[in-house]
Amino acid sequence: LVEPLARHAAEAGRIVDVLIQVNVGDEPQKGGAAFADAPALARAIDEAPSLRLRGFMAVPPASGDPEEARPYFRRLRTWRDAWAAEEPNAARWASELSMGMSNDFEVAIEEGATLVRVGTALFGQRVDPR
């Protein structure tokens, strides 16, 4: 996805901020890079002049209990911190952690989230258009 996104951004004369989604729960039905693949993806994004890596994002396995998301948020933060300690470009690449949604954003913030996604809390449940 890096190449077409970079190409379209360049054609539009834009620099696009990017977050890498990491599949923190190793769930086959969810998108995102494996932890092992995220560093190479970060380097590929860095090589694209029209893309700017800002950090990482995660969607933990679904649960009704926000505390069940905590280990996944912590896993992403501790992985990012350890990786950033070894990566010379980490100051540019790893500043943002987008973790947490309406049901678990408080736990995500406690675990280091800098961005949260709270659409349901603001706008209510999605309506099925069928």
Side-chain angles (χ1 to χ4, degrees), residues 20 35-36 38-43 53 55-56 76-95:
I20 293 174
F35 282 99
L41 183 53
R43 287 183 198 91
L53 180 59
F56 301 91
L76 181 62
R77 178 183 41 83
T78 56
W79 172 83
R80 188 273 319 257
D81 292 349
W83 173 74
E86 298 176 10
E87 176 56 55
N89 293 314
R92 287 195 342 252
W93 294 354
S95 62

Side-chain angles (χ1 to χ4, degrees), residues 17 51 57 71 99 103 109 114:
D17 289 340
L51 302 179
M57 67 173 289
M99 309 185 298
N103 67 326
I109 291 168
T114 60

Side-chain angles (χ1 to χ4, degrees), residues 108-128:
I109 291 168
E110 290 171 1
E111 291 299 331
T114 60
L115 301 168
V116 293
R117 301 172 305 276
V118 293
T120 300
L122 295 172
F123 304 112
Q125 293 292 327
R126 292 182 181 170
V127 177
D128 186 346

Side-chain angles (χ1 to χ4, degrees), residues 49-71:
S50 58
L51 302 179
R52 180 172 43 217
L53 180 59
R54 304 303 296 177
F56 301 91
M57 67 173 289
V59 179
S63 170
D65 180 2
E67 284 299 322
E68 290 185 16
R70 186 179 299 277

Side-chain angles (χ1 to χ4, degrees), residues 10-27:
E11 289 170 0
R14 298 192 51 211
I15 295 177
V16 175
D17 289 340
V18 177
L19 298 173
I20 293 174
Q21 182 173 333
V22 178
N23 189 338
V24 293
D26 300 319
E27 297 175 277

